[in-house]
Amino acid sequence: MKREPDIHETQPERLSAPEEPYRDPNMETIQRVEGGGPIRKVNMEQMPKPLRYFGYAVAGFMLVCTVIFLVSGWLN
């Protein structure tokens, strides 16, 4: 009498390698250039002064708009 192997129906018979996403060979150099690595946190102290002041102005403007939005909703 021949014994069947102990394989569960939900388990794969063999391990499969994960498939890599499709990469167009014509666009490979462009994709490599655009990659740039993971997003890093912005260090404002290393930025040039005009860019740093612009960043502070945008952050301040967003803060003021948020406060105005909250106060106007609270008053109505």
Side-chain angles (χ1 to χ4, degrees):
M1 189 160 132
K2 188 174 183 182
R3 183 174 172 203
E4 293 286 324
D6 293 335
I7 297 177
H8 300 285
E9 292 180 12
T10 57
Q11 292 179 340
E13 292 181 14
R14 60 187 167 105
L15 297 175
S16 60
E19 295 183 23
E20 289 190 25
Y22 173 73
R23 294 180 193 215
D24 187 358
N26 299 323
M27 301 290 285
E28 191 170 329
T29 56
I30 296 173
Q31 290 173 342
R32 203 173 322 125
V33 168
E34 288 180 351
I39 297 175
R40 296 181 303 257
K41 187 173 180 173
V42 177
N43 187 356
M44 292 295 280
E45 294 174 359
Q46 293 178 345
M47 297 280 181
K49 282 186 181 182
L51 192 57
R52 189 177 344 154
Y53 294 150
F54 178 76
Y56 290 144
V58 169
F61 178 74
M62 291 174 59
L63 182 65
V64 168
C65 287
T66 303
V67 169
I68 290 173
F69 177 74
L70 291 173
V71 169
S72 68
W74 182 66
L75 291 176
N76 286 337

